[in-house]
Amino acid sequence: MTSTLEERLEFQIQAMGISPPEREYPFAAEHAGRGDGIKTRLAADGKKNWLFDFAWPDAWLAVEVEGGGWIQGRHNRGKGFRDDMEKYHHAMEIGWTVYRCDGSLIRSGRAVELIFELLEVMRARQVASELIS
């Protein structure tokens, strides 16, 4: 489900000329291999069919928009918060960099500026890694 904050960030990403991200990207499923038996394979590995709000798979960069902080939304209550931490833990364990931002960072433009910088760094690292290999 797309939030107003996500829509605003997506607009900023487009305005900055940043390559379009994958939306609602199923990173765990991509890692485990899609197709028949995906839920079983994910469960056996302690994972769920988690989605990133925004993802640039070529750079292994994910962005999660954290809303609801001031209204005690699902993600900010015990189980929801713990579940999100588990998701981020597994994402980083398999190599993703996860940037979490909230409404104030998005509205100020600071989030999109850092996303731009992170993408440059992540892609440069990838190119350097490929040259070394």
Side-chain angles (χ1 to χ4, degrees), residues 1 15 21 24 43 68 80 118-119 125:
M1 174 165 53
E24 302 298 320
L118 287 169
L119 280 168
R125 282 185 191 160

Side-chain angles (χ1 to χ4, degrees), residues 8-70:
R8 180 178 280 199
L9 182 58
E10 187 167 37
F11 175 80
Q12 292 172 344
I13 288 167
Q14 291 172 353
M16 288 270 298
I18 298 170
S19 62
E22 298 281 335
R23 294 296 314 270
E24 302 298 320
Y25 184 75
F27 76 91
E30 287 295 328
H31 183 72
R34 292 186 185 200
D36 292 341
I38 180 64
K39 288 183 180 181
T40 303
R41 288 193 306 280
L42 286 170
D45 201 22
K47 295 178 176 67
K48 297 179 183 176
N49 195 19
W50 293 299
L51 306 174
F52 288 138
D53 295 331
F54 298 87
W56 288 266
D58 67 311
W60 287 75
L61 176 65
V63 174
E64 289 285 282
V65 175
E66 305 291 351
W70 298 100

